[in-house]
Amino acid sequence: MTNTLINEINKDWKKYDNNQQATFLKSIGHRAVKGKLVDICLSEAVAREFPHAGDATSLVDVTAKQLNKIKKTVGFDNWSQKQVNTYDKENGTNYGELLQGISCPTARNTMRSDIIWWSEYKNEALTVLEERIAKDKKTSSLSSLKKHTTAAIKKLEKEIADANETTEAEAEETETEIIKPTFNSVEECAELISNILIEAKNQGYDQKEILTVAAGRLKAKKK
């Protein structure tokens, strides 16, 4: 990563970080048109707006790409500015300068976390954003979109869990349900009982013991 690349990204964030929906949507490569979320024509727009973007499609995407690259290079899961600064000092890089244009440390940390989250949940986030745009609900920041997307994912997970519990309960009920045969004659009933006794004997059970137990249960049910 070069100084020029980091400086360009930081300059772009100064232009796009104004907490307005149109600006936010542009930072993720989209815009709202008549209740629909529309991709910006990226082939020319990205080249013009973000000459450093490479194969990324927006300011957020290119920043996420660089943040994840830094995480992998420095070697940590959770961002540590102290570790990044130490790495820079030892290796002559300037990774720690990324997003330093955001003066407030808390806001900077939040933005960094939100951008990394976007790289993992982009598809889910865009689905939620499409629904919000269709309902004319404003979304003016990545933090706001993250909140709504996380809530939607939790709701979906709960619905799936509830549906699975219902299916399991219905399956258990079906398994324990006693199937009651229908007979057209005494002979049919006797045939079934005799077949059961024969099969029970084949499996090693004593027929007389079965009849004794059955008679006892029949007697008990008559009381």
Side-chain angles (χ1 to χ4, degrees), residues 60-88:
V60 172
D61 285 327
V62 71
T63 307
K65 184 176 180 181
Q66 297 306 320
L67 286 171
N68 284 315
K69 178 182 177 181
I70 293 170
K71 285 176 62 179
K72 184 177 180 181
T73 301
V74 177
F76 53 67
D77 293 324
N78 297 316
W79 187 274
S80 168
Q81 190 65 36
K82 184 177 180 180
Q83 281 184 258
V84 176
N85 292 341
T86 300
Y87 184 92
D88 284 343

PDB file of all heavy atoms in Angstrom, residues 60-88:
ATOM      1  N   VAL A  60     -16.733   2.574   0.001  1.00  0.00           N
ATOM      2  CA  VAL A  60     -16.807   1.641   1.128  1.00  0.00           C
ATOM      3  C   VAL A  60     -16.131   0.322   0.770  1.00  0.00           C
ATOM      4  O   VAL A  60     -15.395  -0.252   1.581  1.00  0.00           O
ATOM      5  CB  VAL A  60     -18.274   1.403   1.547  1.00  0.00           C
ATOM      6  CG1 VAL A  60     -18.369   0.281   2.587  1.00  0.00           C
ATOM      7  CG2 VAL A  60     -18.884   2.677   2.123  1.00  0.00           C
ATOM      8  N   ASP A  61     -16.359  -0.155  -0.442  1.00  0.00           N
ATOM      9  CA  ASP A  61     -15.769  -1.428  -0.863  1.00  0.00           C
ATOM     10  C   ASP A  61     -14.239  -1.361  -0.897  1.00  0.00           C
ATOM     11  O   ASP A  61     -13.559  -2.277  -0.427  1.00  0.00           O
ATOM     12  CB  ASP A  61     -16.286  -1.835  -2.244  1.00  0.00           C
ATOM     13  CG  ASP A  61     -17.713  -2.359  -2.200  1.00  0.00           C
ATOM     14  OD1 ASP A  61     -18.076  -2.985  -1.192  1.00  0.00           O
ATOM     15  OD2 ASP A  61     -18.460  -2.130  -3.165  1.00  0.00           O
ATOM     16  N   VAL A  62     -13.702  -0.284  -1.457  1.00  0.00           N
ATOM     17  CA  VAL A  62     -12.251  -0.194  -1.562  1.00  0.00           C
ATOM     18  C   VAL A  62     -11.625  -0.015  -0.181  1.00  0.00           C
ATOM     19  O   VAL A  62     -10.554  -0.559   0.106  1.00  0.00           O
ATOM     20  CB  VAL A  62     -11.817   0.954  -2.511  1.00  0.00           C
ATOM     21  CG1 VAL A  62     -12.079   2.320  -1.905  1.00  0.00           C
ATOM     22  CG2 VAL A  62     -10.349   0.809  -2.870  1.00  0.00           C
ATOM     23  N   THR A  63     -12.325   0.703   0.710  1.00  0.00           N
ATOM     24  CA  THR A  63     -11.818   0.869   2.074  1.00  0.00           C
ATOM     25  C   THR A  63     -11.859  -0.465   2.822  1.00  0.00           C
ATOM     26  O   THR A  63     -10.907  -0.821   3.528  1.00  0.00           O
ATOM     27  CB  THR A  63     -12.640   1.922   2.835  1.00  0.00           C
ATOM     28  OG1 THR A  63     -12.687   3.135   2.078  1.00  0.00           O
ATOM     29  CG2 THR A  63     -12.018   2.212   4.193  1.00  0.00           C
ATOM     30  N   ALA A  64     -12.947  -1.194   2.637  1.00  0.00           N
ATOM     31  CA  ALA A  64     -13.065  -2.514   3.277  1.00  0.00           C
ATOM     32  C   ALA A  64     -11.974  -3.451   2.785  1.00  0.00           C
ATOM     33  O   ALA A  64     -11.376  -4.205   3.570  1.00  0.00           O
ATOM     34  CB  ALA A  64     -14.443  -3.115   2.978  1.00  0.00           C
ATOM     35  N   LYS A  65     -11.716  -3.397   1.491  1.00  0.00           N
ATOM     36  CA  LYS A  65     -10.674  -4.240   0.906  1.00  0.00           C
ATOM     37  C   LYS A  65      -9.321  -3.945   1.539  1.00  0.00           C
ATOM     38  O   LYS A  65      -8.560  -4.865   1.888  1.00  0.00           O
ATOM     39  CB  LYS A  65     -10.621  -4.006  -0.605  1.00  0.00           C
ATOM     40  CG  LYS A  65      -9.633  -4.898  -1.341  1.00  0.00           C
ATOM     41  CD  LYS A  65      -9.725  -4.644  -2.847  1.00  0.00           C
ATOM     42  CE  LYS A  65      -8.738  -5.530  -3.604  1.00  0.00           C
ATOM     43  NZ  LYS A  65      -8.804  -5.286  -5.065  1.00  0.00           N
ATOM     44  N   GLN A  66      -9.027  -2.663   1.736  1.00  0.00           N
ATOM     45  CA  GLN A  66      -7.746  -2.288   2.328  1.00  0.00           C
ATOM     46  C   GLN A  66      -7.684  -2.638   3.815  1.00  0.00           C
ATOM     47  O   GLN A  66      -6.649  -3.090   4.316  1.00  0.00           O
ATOM     48  CB  GLN A  66      -7.498  -0.787   2.121  1.00  0.00           C
ATOM     49  CG  GLN A  66      -7.388  -0.362   0.667  1.00  0.00           C
ATOM     50  CD  GLN A  66      -6.345  -1.167  -0.105  1.00  0.00           C
ATOM     51  OE1 GLN A  66      -5.273  -1.462   0.409  1.00  0.00           O
ATOM     52  NE2 GLN A  66      -6.670  -1.523  -1.340  1.00  0.00           N
ATOM     53  N   LEU A  67      -8.787  -2.440   4.532  1.00  0.00           N
ATOM     54  CA  LEU A  67      -8.815  -2.773   5.955  1.00  0.00           C
ATOM     55  C   LEU A  67      -8.587  -4.269   6.169  1.00  0.00           C
ATOM     56  O   LEU A  67      -7.820  -4.680   7.055  1.00  0.00           O
ATOM     57  CB  LEU A  67     -10.147  -2.351   6.575  1.00  0.00           C
ATOM     58  CG  LEU A  67     -10.336  -0.850   6.806  1.00  0.00           C
ATOM     59  CD1 LEU A  67     -11.776  -0.545   7.208  1.00  0.00           C
ATOM     60  CD2 LEU A  67      -9.380  -0.339   7.875  1.00  0.00           C
ATOM     61  N   ASN A  68      -9.248  -5.074   5.371  1.00  0.00           N
ATOM     62  CA  ASN A  68      -9.074  -6.529   5.496  1.00  0.00           C
ATOM     63  C   ASN A  68      -7.662  -6.957   5.097  1.00  0.00           C
ATOM     64  O   ASN A  68      -7.101  -7.894   5.675  1.00  0.00           O
ATOM     65  CB  ASN A  68     -10.121  -7.263   4.643  1.00  0.00           C
ATOM     66  CG  ASN A  68     -11.497  -7.256   5.280  1.00  0.00           C
ATOM     67  OD1 ASN A  68     -11.649  -7.502   6.477  1.00  0.00           O
ATOM     68  ND2 ASN A  68     -12.519  -6.973   4.496  1.00  0.00           N
ATOM     69  N   LYS A  69      -7.107  -6.275   4.131  1.00  0.00           N
ATOM     70  CA  LYS A  69      -5.728  -6.559   3.728  1.00  0.00           C
ATOM     71  C   LYS A  69      -4.763  -6.234   4.869  1.00  0.00           C
ATOM     72  O   LYS A  69      -3.838  -7.007   5.162  1.00  0.00           O
ATOM     73  CB  LYS A  69      -5.363  -5.733   2.487  1.00  0.00           C
ATOM     74  CG  LYS A  69      -3.925  -5.918   2.026  1.00  0.00           C
ATOM     75  CD  LYS A  69      -3.628  -5.035   0.822  1.00  0.00           C
ATOM     76  CE  LYS A  69      -2.166  -5.162   0.385  1.00  0.00           C
ATOM     77  NZ  LYS A  69      -1.867  -4.280  -0.767  1.00  0.00           N
ATOM     78  N   ILE A  70      -5.002  -5.112   5.533  1.00  0.00           N
ATOM     79  CA  ILE A  70      -4.153  -4.724   6.668  1.00  0.00           C
ATOM     80  C   ILE A  70      -4.281  -5.736   7.800  1.00  0.00           C
ATOM     81  O   ILE A  70      -3.280  -6.140   8.413  1.00  0.00           O
ATOM     82  CB  ILE A  70      -4.528  -3.309   7.155  1.00  0.00           C
ATOM     83  CG1 ILE A  70      -4.170  -2.277   6.086  1.00  0.00           C
ATOM     84  CG2 ILE A  70      -3.801  -2.977   8.460  1.00  0.00           C
ATOM     85  CD1 ILE A  70      -4.721  -0.886   6.358  1.00  0.00           C
ATOM     86  N   LYS A  71      -5.520  -6.142   8.099  1.00  0.00           N
ATOM     87  CA  LYS A  71      -5.741  -7.139   9.161  1.00  0.00           C
ATOM     88  C   LYS A  71      -4.954  -8.412   8.876  1.00  0.00           C
ATOM     89  O   LYS A  71      -4.316  -8.988   9.764  1.00  0.00           O
ATOM     90  CB  LYS A  71      -7.236  -7.460   9.276  1.00  0.00           C
ATOM     91  CG  LYS A  71      -8.052  -6.392   9.956  1.00  0.00           C
ATOM     92  CD  LYS A  71      -9.522  -6.749   9.942  1.00  0.00           C
ATOM     93  CE  LYS A  71      -9.790  -8.036  10.701  1.00  0.00           C
ATOM     94  NZ  LYS A  71     -11.228  -8.384  10.701  1.00  0.00           N
ATOM     95  N   LYS A  72      -5.004  -8.853   7.627  1.00  0.00           N
ATOM     96  CA  LYS A  72      -4.302 -10.083   7.249  1.00  0.00           C
ATOM     97  C   LYS A  72      -2.786  -9.897   7.300  1.00  0.00           C
ATOM     98  O   LYS A  72      -2.060 -10.780   7.770  1.00  0.00           O
ATOM     99  CB  LYS A  72      -4.737 -10.506   5.845  1.00  0.00           C
ATOM    100  CG  LYS A  72      -4.144 -11.826   5.386  1.00  0.00           C
ATOM    101  CD  LYS A  72      -4.674 -12.220   4.014  1.00  0.00           C
ATOM    102  CE  LYS A  72      -4.078 -13.542   3.557  1.00  0.00           C
ATOM    103  NZ  LYS A  72      -4.578 -13.936   2.208  1.00  0.00           N
ATOM    104  N   THR A  73      -2.317  -8.746   6.836  1.00  0.00           N
ATOM    105  CA  THR A  73      -0.881  -8.492   6.798  1.00  0.00           C
ATOM    106  C   THR A  73      -0.293  -8.358   8.198  1.00  0.00           C
ATOM    107  O   THR A  73       0.746  -8.945   8.517  1.00  0.00           O
ATOM    108  CB  THR A  73      -0.588  -7.208   5.996  1.00  0.00           C
ATOM    109  OG1 THR A  73      -1.099  -7.361   4.665  1.00  0.00           O
ATOM    110  CG2 THR A  73       0.906  -6.943   5.925  1.00  0.00           C
ATOM    111  N   VAL A  74      -0.962  -7.559   9.023  1.00  0.00           N
ATOM    112  CA  VAL A  74      -0.462  -7.333  10.387  1.00  0.00           C
ATOM    113  C   VAL A  74      -0.688  -8.579  11.252  1.00  0.00           C
ATOM    114  O   VAL A  74       0.136  -8.901  12.101  1.00  0.00           O
ATOM    115  CB  VAL A  74      -1.132  -6.092  11.013  1.00  0.00           C
ATOM    116  CG1 VAL A  74      -0.663  -5.888  12.454  1.00  0.00           C
ATOM    117  CG2 VAL A  74      -0.814  -4.856  10.177  1.00  0.00           C
ATOM    118  N   GLY A  75      -1.803  -9.279  11.013  1.00  0.00           N
ATOM    119  CA  GLY A  75      -2.053 -10.537  11.700  1.00  0.00           C
ATOM    120  C   GLY A  75      -2.865 -10.429  12.966  1.00  0.00           C
ATOM    121  O   GLY A  75      -2.399 -10.785  14.046  1.00  0.00           O
ATOM    122  N   PHE A  76      -4.107  -9.917  12.858  1.00  0.00           N
ATOM    123  CA  PHE A  76      -5.019  -9.912  14.009  1.00  0.00           C
ATOM    124  C   PHE A  76      -6.454  -9.991  13.502  1.00  0.00           C
ATOM    125  O   PHE A  76      -6.754  -9.683  12.358  1.00  0.00           O
ATOM    126  CB  PHE A  76      -4.824  -8.686  14.903  1.00  0.00           C
ATOM    127  CG  PHE A  76      -4.898  -7.365  14.177  1.00  0.00           C
ATOM    128  CD1 PHE A  76      -6.074  -6.919  13.606  1.00  0.00           C
ATOM    129  CD2 PHE A  76      -3.779  -6.547  14.081  1.00  0.00           C
ATOM    130  CE1 PHE A  76      -6.145  -5.700  12.953  1.00  0.00           C
ATOM    131  CE2 PHE A  76      -3.836  -5.328  13.427  1.00  0.00           C
ATOM    132  CZ  PHE A  76      -5.030  -4.907  12.860  1.00  0.00           C
ATOM    133  N   ASP A  77      -7.360 -10.448  14.413  1.00  0.00           N
ATOM    134  CA  ASP A  77      -8.777 -10.524  14.077  1.00  0.00           C
ATOM    135  C   ASP A  77      -9.487  -9.209  14.396  1.00  0.00           C
ATOM    136  O   ASP A  77     -10.253  -8.698  13.596  1.00  0.00           O
ATOM    137  CB  ASP A  77      -9.447 -11.682  14.836  1.00  0.00           C
ATOM    138  CG  ASP A  77      -8.931 -13.042  14.375  1.00  0.00           C
ATOM    139  OD1 ASP A  77      -8.655 -13.177  13.167  1.00  0.00           O
ATOM    140  OD2 ASP A  77      -8.794 -13.948  15.209  1.00  0.00           O
ATOM    141  N   ASN A  78      -9.256  -8.695  15.594  1.00  0.00           N
ATOM    142  CA  ASN A  78      -9.857  -7.429  16.009  1.00  0.00           C
ATOM    143  C   ASN A  78      -8.845  -6.301  15.844  1.00  0.00           C
ATOM    144  O   ASN A  78      -7.697  -6.427  16.260  1.00  0.00           O
ATOM    145  CB  ASN A  78     -10.313  -7.518  17.471  1.00  0.00           C
ATOM    146  CG  ASN A  78     -11.385  -8.573  17.661  1.00  0.00           C
ATOM    147  OD1 ASN A  78     -12.316  -8.667  16.864  1.00  0.00           O
ATOM    148  ND2 ASN A  78     -11.263  -9.364  18.713  1.00  0.00           N
ATOM    149  N   TRP A  79      -9.299  -5.209  15.256  1.00  0.00           N
ATOM    150  CA  TRP A  79      -8.404  -4.108  14.921  1.00  0.00           C
ATOM    151  C   TRP A  79      -7.710  -3.554  16.158  1.00  0.00           C
ATOM    152  O   TRP A  79      -8.344  -3.298  17.181  1.00  0.00           O
ATOM    153  CB  TRP A  79      -9.181  -3.004  14.225  1.00  0.00           C
ATOM    154  CG  TRP A  79      -8.281  -1.915  13.699  1.00  0.00           C
ATOM    155  CD1 TRP A  79      -7.817  -0.836  14.376  1.00  0.00           C
ATOM    156  CD2 TRP A  79      -7.732  -1.844  12.379  1.00  0.00           C
ATOM    157  NE1 TRP A  79      -7.009  -0.078  13.560  1.00  0.00           N
ATOM    158  CE2 TRP A  79      -6.941  -0.664  12.327  1.00  0.00           C
ATOM    159  CE3 TRP A  79      -7.834  -2.649  11.238  1.00  0.00           C
ATOM    160  CZ2 TRP A  79      -6.267  -0.281  11.181  1.00  0.00           C
ATOM    161  CZ3 TRP A  79      -7.156  -2.265  10.102  1.00  0.00           C
ATOM    162  CH2 TRP A  79      -6.379  -1.089  10.080  1.00  0.00           C
ATOM    163  N   SER A  80      -6.417  -3.356  16.049  1.00  0.00           N
ATOM    164  CA  SER A  80      -5.628  -2.733  17.116  1.00  0.00           C
ATOM    165  C   SER A  80      -4.768  -1.651  16.489  1.00  0.00           C
ATOM    166  O   SER A  80      -3.816  -1.953  15.761  1.00  0.00           O
ATOM    167  CB  SER A  80      -4.734  -3.762  17.826  1.00  0.00           C
ATOM    168  OG  SER A  80      -3.790  -3.120  18.665  1.00  0.00           O
ATOM    169  N   GLN A  81      -5.143  -0.384  16.747  1.00  0.00           N
ATOM    170  CA  GLN A  81      -4.376   0.718  16.174  1.00  0.00           C
ATOM    171  C   GLN A  81      -2.934   0.695  16.659  1.00  0.00           C
ATOM    172  O   GLN A  81      -2.006   1.019  15.914  1.00  0.00           O
ATOM    173  CB  GLN A  81      -5.031   2.055  16.535  1.00  0.00           C
ATOM    174  CG  GLN A  81      -4.458   3.247  15.795  1.00  0.00           C
ATOM    175  CD  GLN A  81      -4.715   3.175  14.284  1.00  0.00           C
ATOM    176  OE1 GLN A  81      -5.764   2.705  13.848  1.00  0.00           O
ATOM    177  NE2 GLN A  81      -3.746   3.631  13.492  1.00  0.00           N
ATOM    178  N   LYS A  82      -2.748   0.273  17.904  1.00  0.00           N
ATOM    179  CA  LYS A  82      -1.397   0.202  18.461  1.00  0.00           C
ATOM    180  C   LYS A  82      -0.555  -0.810  17.694  1.00  0.00           C
ATOM    181  O   LYS A  82       0.611  -0.538  17.351  1.00  0.00           O
ATOM    182  CB  LYS A  82      -1.467  -0.191  19.939  1.00  0.00           C
ATOM    183  CG  LYS A  82      -0.112  -0.205  20.632  1.00  0.00           C
ATOM    184  CD  LYS A  82      -0.267  -0.538  22.108  1.00  0.00           C
ATOM    185  CE  LYS A  82       1.094  -0.555  22.806  1.00  0.00           C
ATOM    186  NZ  LYS A  82       0.965  -0.884  24.254  1.00  0.00           N
ATOM    187  N   GLN A  83      -1.131  -1.969  17.368  1.00  0.00           N
ATOM    188  CA  GLN A  83      -0.399  -2.983  16.614  1.00  0.00           C
ATOM    189  C   GLN A  83      -0.077  -2.493  15.204  1.00  0.00           C
ATOM    190  O   GLN A  83       1.011  -2.736  14.674  1.00  0.00           O
ATOM    191  CB  GLN A  83      -1.218  -4.277  16.530  1.00  0.00           C
ATOM    192  CG  GLN A  83      -1.163  -5.126  17.781  1.00  0.00           C
ATOM    193  CD  GLN A  83      -1.915  -6.429  17.588  1.00  0.00           C
ATOM    194  OE1 GLN A  83      -3.033  -6.603  18.052  1.00  0.00           O
ATOM    195  NE2 GLN A  83      -1.298  -7.356  16.880  1.00  0.00           N
ATOM    196  N   VAL A  84      -1.050  -1.796  14.599  1.00  0.00           N
ATOM    197  CA  VAL A  84      -0.840  -1.280  13.242  1.00  0.00           C
ATOM    198  C   VAL A  84       0.287  -0.244  13.242  1.00  0.00           C
ATOM    199  O   VAL A  84       1.169  -0.258  12.374  1.00  0.00           O
ATOM    200  CB  VAL A  84      -2.136  -0.657  12.681  1.00  0.00           C
ATOM    201  CG1 VAL A  84      -1.877  -0.035  11.320  1.00  0.00           C
ATOM    202  CG2 VAL A  84      -3.225  -1.716  12.557  1.00  0.00           C
ATOM    203  N   ASN A  85       0.261   0.641  14.217  1.00  0.00           N
ATOM    204  CA  ASN A  85       1.310   1.672  14.301  1.00  0.00           C
ATOM    205  C   ASN A  85       2.692   1.048  14.507  1.00  0.00           C
ATOM    206  O   ASN A  85       3.688   1.508  13.929  1.00  0.00           O
ATOM    207  CB  ASN A  85       0.999   2.640  15.436  1.00  0.00           C
ATOM    208  CG  ASN A  85      -0.228   3.486  15.153  1.00  0.00           C
ATOM    209  OD1 ASN A  85      -0.650   3.620  14.005  1.00  0.00           O
ATOM    210  ND2 ASN A  85      -0.812   4.070  16.191  1.00  0.00           N
ATOM    211  N   THR A  86       2.739   0.006  15.337  1.00  0.00           N
ATOM    212  CA  THR A  86       4.007  -0.693  15.572  1.00  0.00           C
ATOM    213  C   THR A  86       4.497  -1.343  14.286  1.00  0.00           C
ATOM    214  O   THR A  86       5.686  -1.282  13.943  1.00  0.00           O
ATOM    215  CB  THR A  86       3.846  -1.761  16.673  1.00  0.00           C
ATOM    216  OG1 THR A  86       3.440  -1.128  17.891  1.00  0.00           O
ATOM    217  CG2 THR A  86       5.147  -2.508  16.904  1.00  0.00           C
ATOM    218  N   TYR A  87       3.565  -1.966  13.552  1.00  0.00           N
ATOM    219  CA  TYR A  87       3.911  -2.611  12.278  1.00  0.00           C
ATOM    220  C   TYR A  87       4.450  -1.567  11.292  1.00  0.00           C
ATOM    221  O   TYR A  87       5.442  -1.803  10.594  1.00  0.00           O
ATOM    222  CB  TYR A  87       2.689  -3.320  11.702  1.00  0.00           C
ATOM    223  CG  TYR A  87       2.982  -4.099  10.435  1.00  0.00           C
ATOM    224  CD1 TYR A  87       3.335  -5.435  10.487  1.00  0.00           C
ATOM    225  CD2 TYR A  87       2.920  -3.480   9.183  1.00  0.00           C
ATOM    226  CE1 TYR A  87       3.623  -6.151   9.333  1.00  0.00           C
ATOM    227  CE2 TYR A  87       3.207  -4.175   8.020  1.00  0.00           C
ATOM    228  CZ  TYR A  87       3.557  -5.511   8.104  1.00  0.00           C
ATOM    229  OH  TYR A  87       3.848  -6.211   6.956  1.00  0.00           O
ATOM    230  N   ASP A  88       3.770  -0.423  11.229  1.00  0.00           N
ATOM    231  CA  ASP A  88       4.214   0.649  10.326  1.00  0.00           C
ATOM    232  C   ASP A  88       5.647   1.075  10.653  1.00  0.00           C
ATOM    233  O   ASP A  88       6.477   1.263   9.757  1.00  0.00           O
ATOM    234  CB  ASP A  88       3.283   1.866  10.455  1.00  0.00           C
ATOM    235  CG  ASP A  88       1.954   1.659   9.744  1.00  0.00           C
ATOM    236  OD1 ASP A  88       1.866   0.748   8.911  1.00  0.00           O
ATOM    237  OD2 ASP A  88       1.015   2.421  10.028  1.00  0.00           O
TER     238      ASP A  88
END
